[in-house]
Amino acid sequence: MSFANLHASCVELDQQVEIPERAGAGSSSSAGPLLTMESMLNVPFRKSWDTCREVPTVEDEHTPWKMIKLLKVISLCVIAVVVFGLALCSKVSFLLLITLSNEGTKILPDEMRPVALLCIGCALIISSVFLFLKSVWKACYKTSKLPNKSTIALVLFFEFLVAMGAAILTIVAMPHLDIVTNVTILNSVAVLSALLQVITQCTAKERNRFLVPSITAFLLILLGYVLFLVLYIMKDPTDIKTIIWVGLAVGGSFLMSFNWWENYFRLISENSSSVFLKALCRDVKTCQNMLHILSSMLRIAVTAGVLGAYVPLDKMDWDIVTSIPSRETKIIAIIIGVQLISSALCHWFSLVACKMHALRRCFILPLYLASLAVMVLFVVPVIVYYQDYRTSLNGTAISFTGYCNEVVDGRNQSLNGSVFPGLVLDVTHTLCFLDMAKITDISLLTGSAVSWWLGLVLATLHLWYLNVSRIQRTQDLFVRRLFEGAFIEQSLLLNTRFDIQTKKGRKKNKSSDTAMLYLCGTMWHETYGEMMNIIISIFRLDKYRPKIDRKFDDVTFESHIYFDDAFKHVQGSLGNHLNTYAEDLVRILTEVYGIFTNIDDKFFKHNQQVPVQKIIRTPYGGRLVVTMPHGNVIIVHFKDKDLIRHKKRWSQVMYLYYLLGWKLMTKYYARLKKGEDKDELTAELQREKQNTYILALDGDTDFQPAALMLLIDRLKMYPRVGAVCGRIHPTGSGPTVWFQKFEYAVSHWLQKTAEHVIGCVLCSPGCFSLFRAAALMDDNVMKKYATKSTEASHYIQYDQGEDRWLCTLLLKQGWRVEYNAAADAYTNAPEDFKELYNQRRRWGPSTLANVVDLLGSTSIISKRNPSMSKLFMFYQLFAITSAILAPATICLLIAGCLTFVLTIDSNAALVLAVIPPVIYLGLCFKLKSDTQITIAGVMSIIYAFLMLVVSMSIIGSMVEDKTILTPSSIFVIGMALIYIITAIMHPQEVQLVFHGFLYILCIPSAYLLLTIYSMTNMNNVSWGTRESKPTPGAATPDPVAMQTKTQRAKSTFQRYFSWCKCCKKSNQLPVNQEILITESQQPGLQPQNTIVGDERIPEEQTQAEPFFDSPIQCFVTQLQNMSSDMQLQEDSLDKEEEEFFIELQKKYLEPLQDDKERQKAMANDLRELRNKINFAFFIMNALWLVATFTMQLFGASFSINLPKVNFDLETTGEDVIIDPIAFMFILGFAASVVIQFLTMFYHRIYTLIHYVAFLDTEPSEKKPEPIYLEGKKAKSVTSSDSIADTISDSDTISEVDSEIEESDDEFFGDGDGTMV
């Protein structure tokens, strides 16, 4: 048969394959009968007896949303009560100090008033001291930019006025006023804020909804001043002192109201043409640290000056401060302690309430009510005591003035009486100037109090409608870092950000910009179930954030899957075919599409017909474009390793340059060529880079949409965060997986949280991490990540742990990497002992290489990255040192066990403990990898029994010695308590504690044998996991491998032209010799310890068939014939995009050529590097063991002897002998664990804050109830926007009804998290 006839046959077969597509698109009538038959057989319904389906789990089965919602309610109630209670304590304690500084009090005599005034001064300056210390630290470690002189002068002028006003009001004036006035006059400090609100809203030139409340607030506060002046001055116009005190109170409160000028000048400058105002606000924002240092020092100095001058002017003596009786000292100490602590905690809990998005319930309302509660708390006891005294007189009438003269002022100072009655009478003393019989006095006092309180409420009314994002940054919530302890609720309310709110709507927050998200998964040899996980996760996200009928504009996304080594050569075919793994992926896409579109067909299951999708031939292989049910696309890139470089890092380089280089950057260059303004384009580009994110996924990752949104929150809110990872949960079964479950838990619970809190996370795992485009596109990140390994160390650092190396590049450039414990993802863990060892063989050396790289650049990194201080680098140095010395430490642990069990000398036990690891170390240099792992498995079992004995021996020694107060006992018990408490702090994962017993038994295997295996096999740079061995039929090398370079090129061209003809798209792909030259495939696996460069594992070969007997001639027709459920229409790539991929391949991704000489040289270099590192590594362990051996040998001379104490804390007469070196090491390790434990608590609090805010703010819609007709089920219109939508099928009406009844409880059922 001639080639022309063969081609005609191929075209005819293709036409038959494409008939359903063209018929579906409206083809000629000749195709009608064929389509009609297909429709009758497949489209309407399945067989009536075959309606049951096997559907994978797609709903969220991990997160206990009912418990989390309950926790949210409890948390909000607790926060509201705590904020209210702390504000109450702060204000009551401060006013008690004011009362005790009043003349005529009995609890604190007049001569001791300087003590109370000194405490008032401390309450005024304590926040300035905190601010000074924090600003100095930030100036040293972050930024210390100096502002302009004019800015310094103006800021210090305002701070001088504020400090002077606060000191005069609280130290000089308020001690001479009554308690009711003192409670409410603090609210009058909102006077200037109300006036500035009016000015700010007027300059905005818009119809502002809060202009009238601001004007009313200003007038009410002025009215309060008038009533206050009338009350005090008209009482006795001849009392000059009273007039002075009243004038100072009004003036002090007005000066104090300058404190929040920044809140309004910021907005006034935006709407003003004044260059000075704009420069001032810019300086204040960019030079905060230096300005805060100067202003704090000024406020402390002014307060001290006023206090120091007033005491002698009022004829008081400072000497009394040093001679206060113990009773008064305790009273004062308790009051000032409560004031200082409650003020600081109230500020922090108020911040928590705002971050939780509970502004009204837990912040504004409790603070409003605090002033009223303080008033009640002071006035009610006064009234009660007065009425009780009147009752005790048996009907004898007595006025309030008489009560004051006889009881309040006529009492003697009691040194031993109860404090509370004395305080009540002292408070009553401040009200004695009033005549309670006169309605005028009561009316004026009440009127001023109500006017000031209403003025504060109206001046802060805008806060009820403030637009606050989830986990809002503190600097975006509160304008000033400073809180005022003496004016706690006023400072918190007035310091909260003021925004112009028009009648048209609220101002849009910067964090609400729409983010562009690219989901990028890499695949190779994943199983059917593993690939099902990630595809279902992507379809969940499509339902959660639909593109069609979009209701939320917070994020748009595209999904990309990069399938490595997806093709195989089939003899007799004119083009390469997809291998079985790639075929499985296409089947999964079809199946999952059907699951998500048939979700409401509970009773009658339609045979799914997926809409026509696109298949495209590309320079790197092929592309499948699937539009998901809600409009978002998922693009599968099938990579041919003969056309483009394979392996995970190169797939990542491919999508980084495609998505960020081509899709993001090219359009801006095109617009620049058209003449658009360069500055505007640059600003727009930077904004898009900041709001473009890449989610790195593995081919088996399972996640919920809520977990992804929690990651996005971190990048949206904090612009210097370059990457954030979630909580990774290993899945699978068996002892190997159980060990990993606890190991992952401890790593995330303690290690990652500590890194997040005190520094930066060093590794954001590639299975579920979100990266910012601006960070990836920064200098020395993406470009360097695309570097080809040319040295032995490169293969270890670059290729063995690519995710850790990428994070190293980000950290070096100053970007922050974070960890979000609420964002859960699930990935399959190795279930086989050999696979686990091979995985950790890659991770161990790459971790060591990257950490050493960071430690070597400590000086540069600590200057460039504000989050990584030298103290944090020292913490990492200790951590890596502990990891290096882990083998020796395990040997010492086993030696201790042998000493206790066999009652032998400690040195002899140490020698016995060292012998097996040394033998295994020697064998690892001689034996093959598989044999090494087999030996490690046997030794692991033996060591597990030894560890059981170790555990029992420690318990036995405690029982035998009748004490737990030995270093080893304290350490073991302490570690156990830390792990148990940590697990309790993670209730959803508390069951993992039981896996901890297995973890303890496997410690020698994990930290001794595995360390030896990974270090001695460092020169093995193969992947080690998911490697498919060649089948017997595929053992012989491919004929292509036996060809010369010229023959291979010729064969490639012939295949290429035949492929084009077969698919009838001869103009789709240009002939490019450099791209199409394929490299020879290796016939099999190379020796394990010398694998260098690209690893070629042959795929399973199918039985060769004559190509004229099969319609499948290339991967296009292969996919088109694979399933009738999803029809594929061939499309072409844009010319410019095609040229981009060709250029990308030439520059970065050209397949690596087999160079036997280079591979041999590199194998030798890797062996030399392994030998050097192993020598240093194990010499350090040997030195540690020899030092311990020497200490034990001369124990009497070097050891530390401590008396042994029993359970009754009585000495037993024996001594505990402690090795000083071991003790210092254990002490250092315990210190690091304690640091991790404390940071875990801190991180858990902020995780709770984030989760509560997420539950309260994530937009969602409930599913409408389905409508049932008699005998039929009406199809319900489902909403696709709620994270509570659970995707499930049921076969009975009762089950559907039960879901509807529980829909409120499962409101967030589609989310995922380990918050609780």
Side-chain angles (χ1 to χ4, degrees):
M1 184 182 292
S2 66
F3 184 80
N5 292 335
L6 289 175
H7 178 58
S9 301
C10 181
V11 169
E12 184 179 0
L13 289 170
D14 280 350
Q15 289 173 346
Q16 293 177 4
V17 170
E18 292 181 0
I19 281 176
E21 295 180 19
R22 294 196 293 268
S27 64
S28 62
S29 59
S30 60
L34 225 149
L35 178 64
T36 304
M37 183 179 297
E38 185 74 7
S39 301
M40 287 189 299
L41 291 176
N42 294 329
V43 175
F45 297 100
R46 297 178 178 178
K47 294 291 185 179
S48 58
W49 51 268
D50 187 22
T51 59
C52 300
R53 297 185 302 171
E54 182 181 0
V55 180
T57 302
V58 294
E59 65 270 13
D60 180 11
E61 293 187 330
H62 302 286
T63 311
W65 285 107
K66 293 181 181 179
M67 184 172 66
I68 291 176
K69 288 185 68 178
L70 177 62
L71 179 65
K72 168 200 162 185
V73 174
I74 295 174
S75 300
L76 293 179
C77 292
V78 169
I79 293 295
V81 172
V82 168
V83 169
F84 174 77
L86 290 172
L88 192 65
C89 290
S90 174
K91 184 56 64 69
V92 168
S93 56
F94 180 74
L95 291 173
L96 283 176
L97 291 174
I98 296 289
T99 301
L100 293 178
S101 61
N102 193 300
E103 294 182 6
T105 58
K106 301 298 182 179
I107 291 291
L108 197 67
D110 289 347
E111 63 271 14
M112 295 184 185
R113 287 170 55 209
V115 180
L117 294 175
L118 183 62
C119 292
I120 294 171
C122 291
L124 291 177
I125 68 171
I126 189 65
S127 59
S128 296
V129 173
F130 289 153
L131 181 62
F132 174 78
L133 297 175
K134 184 175 182 180
S135 299
V136 168
W137 180 82
K138 286 195 171 186
C140 293
Y141 288 99
K142 295 192 176 183
T143 176
S144 55
K145 186 178 178 181
L146 289 173
N148 295 326
K149 292 181 180 179
S150 58
T151 303
I152 295 176
L154 187 61
V155 170
L156 293 184
F157 172 72
F158 281 129
E159 294 298 327
F160 175 80
L161 294 180
V162 171
M164 184 65 70
I168 290 174
L169 175 63
T170 57
I171 295 174
V172 179
M174 288 178 65
H176 300 88
L177 304 178
D178 65 279
I179 189 63
V180 176
T181 301
N182 285 338
V183 171
T184 55
I185 197 173
L186 299 178
N187 295 327
S188 67
V189 297
V191 57
L192 190 61
S193 293
L195 180 61
L196 289 175
Q197 286 178 19
V198 175
I199 298 173
T200 302
Q201 295 179 84
C202 290
T203 56
K205 298 178 182 179
E206 295 184 37
R207 298 181 62 190
N208 303 302
R209 60 193 302 187
F210 291 107
L211 183 59
V212 173
S214 298
I215 296 173
T216 307
F218 179 70
L219 296 177
L220 282 173
I221 294 174
L222 291 182
L223 176 62
Y225 281 137
V226 171
L227 296 177
F228 166 63
L229 292 173
V230 170
L231 174 64
Y232 272 85
I233 295 177
M234 297 307 294
K235 191 74 175 175
D236 187 1
T238 61
D239 190 351
I240 303 300
K241 285 188 175 182
T242 301
I243 295 175
I244 293 175
W245 303 138
V246 170
L248 289 176
V250 174
S253 63
F254 182 77
L255 291 178
M256 180 63 199
S257 64
F258 278 91
N259 194 34
W260 301 281
W261 62 273
E262 294 175 39
N263 205 354
Y264 309 100
F265 274 42
R266 170 180 56 90
L267 294 175
I268 293 174
S269 66
E270 292 178 2
N271 302 306
S272 172
S273 58
S274 173
V275 178
F276 174 75
L277 270 181
K278 293 183 181 295
L280 172 67
C281 293
R282 183 172 59 251
D283 259 8
V284 169
K285 184 177 181 179
T286 57
C287 308
Q288 281 188 347
N289 293 327
M290 297 306 298
L291 288 173
H292 286 155
I293 291 173
L294 296 174
S295 62
S296 299
M297 294 172 62
L298 178 64
R299 294 185 70 157
I300 294 171
V302 170
T303 304
V306 172
L307 180 61
Y310 173 67
V311 169
L313 286 175
D314 202 28
K315 300 179 181 180
M316 291 181 286
D317 190 1
W318 279 114
D319 294 338
I320 193 66
V321 175
T322 59
S323 58
I324 311 173
S326 59
R327 180 174 182 270
E328 284 76 10
T329 301
K330 290 179 181 179
I331 294 172
I332 290 292
I334 291 173
I335 294 175
I336 188 61
V338 170
Q339 207 285 326
L340 297 180
I341 294 173
S342 60
S343 297
L345 289 178
C346 185
H347 175 261
W348 188 81
F349 276 99
S350 298
L351 177 63
V352 169
C354 296
K355 285 180 176 288
M356 282 183 169
H357 213 269
L359 208 68
R360 298 180 181 180
R361 294 164 287 179
C362 302
F363 176 67
I364 302 173
L365 195 58
L367 294 180
Y368 281 167
L369 297 177
S371 293
L372 301 179
V374 170
M375 182 72 74
V376 171
L377 206 58
F378 277 111
V379 173
V380 169
V382 171
I383 297 174
V384 170
Y385 271 58
Y386 173 52
Q387 294 297 334
D388 286 346
Y389 182 75
R390 291 182 62 183
T391 304
S392 66
L393 296 179
N394 297 322
T396 304
I398 186 172
S399 65
F400 184 75
T401 303
Y403 171 72
C404 288
N405 294 331
E406 293 182 14
V407 179
V408 178
D409 297 332
R411 63 194 165 104
N412 295 321
Q413 183 179 0
S414 175
L415 299 178
N416 299 317
S418 177
V419 176
F420 181 75
L423 289 175
V424 173
L425 294 177
D426 281 345
V427 169
T428 307
H429 169 74
T430 65
L431 294 168
C432 285
F433 81 101
L434 292 174
D435 188 354
M436 291 299 181
K438 293 183 179 180
I439 194 65
T440 306
D441 288 3
I442 297 177
S443 300
L444 290 173
L445 183 64
T446 306
S448 62
V450 171
S451 298
W452 282 329
W453 185 79
L454 288 177
L456 176 67
V457 170
L458 292 176
T460 55
L461 190 63
H462 64 276
L463 297 180
W464 286 83
Y465 303 94
L466 185 65
N467 186 20
V468 179
S469 302
R470 289 197 294 263
I471 59 168
Q472 185 88 46
R473 290 186 299 174
T474 305
Q475 64 191 45
D476 294 333
L477 279 172
F478 297 131
V479 178
R480 297 168 60 89
R481 295 180 190 167
L482 192 67
F483 69 92
E484 306 293 339
F487 310 83
I488 188 64
E489 71 266 33
Q490 292 84 9
S491 67
L492 290 173
L493 291 170
L494 296 173
N495 194 33
T496 308
R497 187 184 76 243
F498 177 77
D499 281 337
I500 299 294
Q501 299 187 23
T502 65
K503 295 185 177 181
K504 296 180 181 178
R506 285 176 284 178
K507 183 179 177 182
K508 188 177 180 181
N509 196 296
K510 291 182 179 179
S511 64
S512 62
D513 293 340
T514 302
M516 182 63 210
L517 173 67
Y518 295 105
L519 281 72
C520 298
T522 54
M523 287 187 178
W524 182 34
H525 283 174
E526 280 75 14
T527 64
Y528 194 92
E530 290 172 344
M531 289 188 285
M532 179 70 76
N533 288 335
I534 187 173
I535 298 303
I536 287 177
S537 298
I538 294 173
F539 273 76
R540 282 195 203 110
L541 187 61
D542 173 62
K543 182 178 186 297
Y544 182 70
R545 284 294 182 267
K547 189 174 183 180
I548 301 172
D549 297 330
R550 181 186 300 171
K551 297 179 177 61
F552 313 111
D553 58 354
D554 53 349
V555 63
T556 59
F557 77 94
E558 282 184 12
S559 301
H560 295 261
I561 294 177
Y562 289 79
F563 207 112
D564 256 326
D565 197 9
F567 291 91
K568 63 181 178 181
H569 178 64
V570 178
Q571 294 184 4
S573 175
L574 298 180
N576 280 351
H577 290 197
L578 295 179
N579 59 26
T580 54
Y581 296 102
E583 287 181 339
D584 285 344
L585 177 60
V586 178
R587 293 189 185 96
I588 289 169
L589 286 169
T590 306
E591 181 179 349
V592 174
Y593 197 107
I595 293 171
F596 277 79
T597 51
N598 275 341
I599 191 171
D600 293 313
D601 297 327
K602 309 278 185 183
F603 298 99
F604 301 105
K605 304 292 192 289
H606 288 270
N607 198 36
Q608 180 57 39
Q609 286 291 312
V610 180
V612 177
Q613 309 294 346
K614 296 179 182 179
I615 186 168
I616 303 170
R617 293 199 306 117
T618 62
Y620 56 80
R623 177 187 297 180
L624 175 63
V625 182
V626 177
T627 302
M628 291 180 282
H630 298 284
N632 296 290
V633 297
I634 179 170
I635 303 172
V636 182
H637 304 263
F638 295 111
K639 295 172 57 183
D640 190 337
K641 67 180 179 182
D642 294 329
L643 301 177
I644 195 167
R645 199 174 300 174
H646 67 296
K647 287 192 175 181
K648 183 176 181 179
R649 178 159 74 95
W650 301 115
S651 291
Q652 291 176 333
V653 170
M654 179 178 172
Y655 67 64
L656 288 178
Y657 275 93
Y658 173 55
L659 300 175
L660 305 183
W662 165 254
K663 298 193 74 171
L664 193 151
M665 291 296 300
T666 307
K667 58 186 178 184
Y668 286 98
Y669 279 99
R671 291 169 59 184
L672 183 63
K673 289 180 180 179
K674 293 179 181 178
E676 295 190 32
D677 184 71
K678 183 178 180 180
D679 294 336
E680 292 182 1
L681 282 178
T682 302
E684 186 179 347
L685 172 61
Q686 291 300 324
R687 189 163 54 252
E688 184 170 357
K689 285 164 66 176
Q690 282 290 117
N691 289 292
T692 299
Y693 312 135
I694 288 182
L695 180 67
L697 298 167
D698 278 351
D700 60 352
T701 304
D702 181 15
F703 66 93
Q704 296 290 331
L708 177 56
M709 298 305 297
L710 291 166
L711 294 184
I712 292 175
D713 284 345
R714 304 298 304 185
L715 295 191
K716 275 195 170 188
M717 201 53 58
Y718 303 102
R720 288 305 300 170
V721 175
V724 59
C725 63
R727 166 70 165 96
I728 311 302
H729 298 264
T731 58
S733 59
T736 304
V737 177
W738 299 340
F739 166 81
Q740 293 174 84
K741 282 179 179 290
F742 188 79
E743 181 193 33
Y744 272 67
V746 171
S747 173
H748 287 84
W749 290 351
L750 297 174
Q751 295 171 15
K752 266 191 167 37
T753 55
E755 290 177 348
H756 173 97
V757 172
I758 65 178
C760 278
V761 174
L762 300 190
C763 179
S764 189
C767 58
F768 189 64
S769 292
L770 192 66
F771 295 88
R772 190 190 301 275
L776 295 171
M777 299 172 74
D778 201 358
D779 296 339
N780 301 319
V781 179
M782 199 164 87
K783 179 73 173 179
K784 193 167 184 178
Y785 192 65
T787 303
K788 184 170 67 173
S789 301
T790 56
E791 300 177 9
S793 59
H794 293 174
Y795 284 93
I796 296 173
Q797 184 177 5
Y798 296 1
D799 297 330
Q800 298 298 285
E802 70 291 327
D803 46 7
R804 184 174 284 273
W805 184 45
L806 180 58
C807 290
T808 298
L809 297 176
L810 292 173
L811 294 173
K812 283 186 172 183
Q813 284 303 115
W815 292 94
R816 177 169 170 77
V817 181
E818 292 192 344
Y819 163 59
N820 191 328
D824 287 333
Y826 299 82
T827 184
N828 282 30
E831 297 184 356
D832 181 66
F833 185 80
K834 174 184 174 182
E835 194 173 6
L836 174 64
Y837 260 54
N838 280 328
Q839 181 193 66
R840 302 308 169 88
R841 182 253 301 158
R842 286 189 291 111
W843 289 3
S846 69
T847 299
L848 180 64
N850 281 281
V851 173
V852 169
D853 186 10
L854 287 172
L855 292 174
S857 307
T858 296
S859 298
I860 298 175
I861 293 175
S862 60
K863 292 178 181 178
R864 187 177 294 175
N865 195 325
S867 298
M868 299 185 69
S869 64
K870 290 184 179 179
L871 285 175
F872 174 69
M873 300 305 287
F874 178 78
Y875 166 82
Q876 290 298 331
L877 176 62
F878 182 82
I880 197 67
T881 303
S882 302
I884 291 173
L885 296 179
T889 305
I890 298 301
C891 290
L892 292 173
L893 179 66
I894 296 171
C897 167
L898 296 176
T899 301
F900 180 81
V901 175
L902 303 179
T903 62
I904 60 176
D905 182 69
S906 57
N907 283 334
L910 181 58
V911 172
L912 289 176
V914 170
I915 291 175
V918 171
I919 295 174
Y920 180 67
L921 176 63
L923 292 175
C924 285
F925 282 97
K926 297 296 183 182
L927 301 177
K928 293 182 179 180
S929 176
D930 288 352
T931 308
Q932 298 173 32
I933 295 175
T934 302
I935 295 174
V938 175
M939 294 181 67
S940 296
I941 296 174
I942 297 173
Y943 275 128
F945 284 102
L946 272 177
M947 283 304 299
L948 181 61
V949 176
V950 168
S951 304
M952 300 303 296
S953 67
I954 292 175
I955 298 174
S957 65
M958 284 188 271
V959 175
E960 180 182 343
D961 297 337
K962 297 182 180 179
T963 180
I964 60 172
L965 300 178
T966 60
S968 59
S969 301
I970 293 174
F971 178 76
V972 170
I973 294 174
M975 290 296 297
L977 288 175
I978 285 176
Y979 284 142
I980 292 172
I981 295 173
T982 303
I984 293 173
M985 292 292 292
H986 301 75
Q988 186 184 348
E989 304 175 64
V990 71
Q991 73 279 0
L992 296 180
V993 169
F994 298 104
H995 295 153
F997 295 107
L998 176 63
Y999 179 83
I1000 292 172
L1001 299 181
C1002 295
I1003 284 178
S1005 178
Y1007 294 98
L1008 177 62
L1009 302 179
L1010 180 55
T1011 303
I1012 294 173
Y1013 173 77
S1014 62
M1015 295 303 296
T1016 55
N1017 288 272
M1018 186 183 297
N1019 59 317
N1020 181 357
V1021 293
S1022 65
W1023 199 249
T1025 54
R1026 300 189 191 279
E1027 293 182 344
S1028 298
K1029 294 183 179 180
T1031 58
T1036 58
D1038 195 293
V1040 178
M1042 308 301 295
Q1043 295 175 343
T1044 64
K1045 203 169 187 178
T1046 305
Q1047 290 172 332
R1048 277 186 285 153
K1050 183 178 179 181
S1051 173
T1052 302
F1053 277 120
Q1054 290 175 348
R1055 278 175 31 216
Y1056 175 71
F1057 282 123
S1058 300
W1059 197 4
C1060 295
K1061 290 177 182 178
C1062 167
C1063 298
K1064 303 188 304 170
K1065 296 281 185 179
S1066 59
N1067 60 343
Q1068 265 192 316
L1069 190 62
V1071 179
N1072 189 311
Q1073 182 174 352
E1074 295 185 18
I1075 295 298
L1076 294 173
I1077 292 178
T1078 60
E1079 59 183 314
S1080 62
Q1081 298 182 349
Q1082 297 177 6
L1085 287 170
Q1086 301 182 28
Q1088 286 287 332
N1089 280 23
T1090 58
I1091 293 181
V1092 181
D1094 286 342
E1095 148 191 30
R1096 312 271 176 156
I1097 301 172
E1099 300 291 339
E1100 296 183 6
Q1101 303 293 327
T1102 58
Q1103 183 68 32
E1105 296 180 1
F1107 64 88
F1108 47 82
D1109 288 340
S1110 172
I1112 302 175
Q1113 295 301 313
C1114 59
F1115 83 95
V1116 176
T1117 52
Q1118 175 192 11
L1119 292 183
Q1120 289 174 338
N1121 283 272
M1122 200 170 71
S1123 173
S1124 61
D1125 286 342
M1126 183 167 69
Q1127 301 178 18
L1128 299 176
Q1129 180 178 358
E1130 189 172 2
D1131 200 355
S1132 60
L1133 211 59
D1134 291 339
K1135 187 67 177 177
E1136 293 180 354
E1137 188 174 343
E1138 185 178 306
E1139 291 175 356
F1140 156 75
F1141 277 112
I1142 293 173
E1143 293 173 2
L1144 179 65
Q1145 287 169 266
K1146 286 182 180 179
K1147 188 166 186 179
Y1148 295 110
L1149 298 176
E1150 191 172 7
L1152 298 172
Q1153 299 297 325
D1154 289 336
D1155 188 342
K1156 301 299 181 183
E1157 294 293 331
R1158 189 183 72 83
Q1159 289 189 7
K1160 186 175 180 181
M1162 189 55 64
N1164 291 329
D1165 291 345
L1166 281 167
R1167 276 193 293 268
E1168 290 180 6
L1169 179 66
R1170 177 200 64 179
N1171 295 338
K1172 291 178 182 178
I1173 295 178
N1174 275 261
F1175 178 78
F1177 186 92
F1178 291 108
I1179 278 294
M1180 291 179 64
N1181 281 272
L1183 291 174
W1184 175 252
L1185 291 173
V1186 170
T1188 305
F1189 182 87
T1190 305
M1191 286 291 179
Q1192 292 177 355
L1193 191 62
F1194 302 99
S1197 303
F1198 297 103
S1199 61
I1200 301 174
N1201 296 330
L1202 295 177
K1204 186 180 292 186
V1205 180
N1206 58 21
F1207 292 115
D1208 298 326
L1209 300 180
E1210 299 174 349
T1211 56
T1212 60
E1214 301 178 2
D1215 290 338
V1216 178
I1217 301 175
I1218 301 173
D1219 176 9
I1221 297 179
F1223 178 73
M1224 292 302 296
F1225 182 80
I1226 291 176
L1227 192 63
F1229 180 76
S1232 67
V1233 172
V1234 169
I1235 291 173
Q1236 294 175 357
F1237 184 67
L1238 296 177
T1239 54
M1240 180 272 300
F1241 272 100
Y1242 182 86
H1243 195 267
R1244 292 309 289 167
I1245 292 172
Y1246 276 89
T1247 303
L1248 174 63
I1249 293 171
H1250 191 180
Y1251 227 133
V1252 172
F1254 178 80
L1255 294 177
D1256 234 21
T1257 59
E1258 182 63 11
S1260 58
E1261 293 183 6
K1262 296 181 180 179
K1263 294 192 295 184
E1265 298 183 5
I1267 302 172
Y1268 292 97
L1269 300 178
E1270 185 177 355
K1272 296 182 180 180
K1273 172 183 177 290
K1275 186 173 182 179
S1276 63
V1277 182
T1278 60
S1279 92
S1280 57
D1281 328 296
S1282 173
I1283 63 174
D1285 290 344
T1286 53
I1287 304 168
S1288 58
D1289 292 308
S1290 62
D1291 294 322
T1292 64
I1293 297 178
S1294 61
E1295 289 180 349
V1296 176
D1297 287 339
S1298 66
E1299 283 188 1
I1300 295 172
E1301 290 172 2
E1302 294 186 356
S1303 61
D1304 289 338
D1305 293 332
E1306 310 222 345
F1307 191 71
F1308 292 94
D1310 244 3
D1312 207 350
T1314 57
M1315 192 18 266
V1316 294

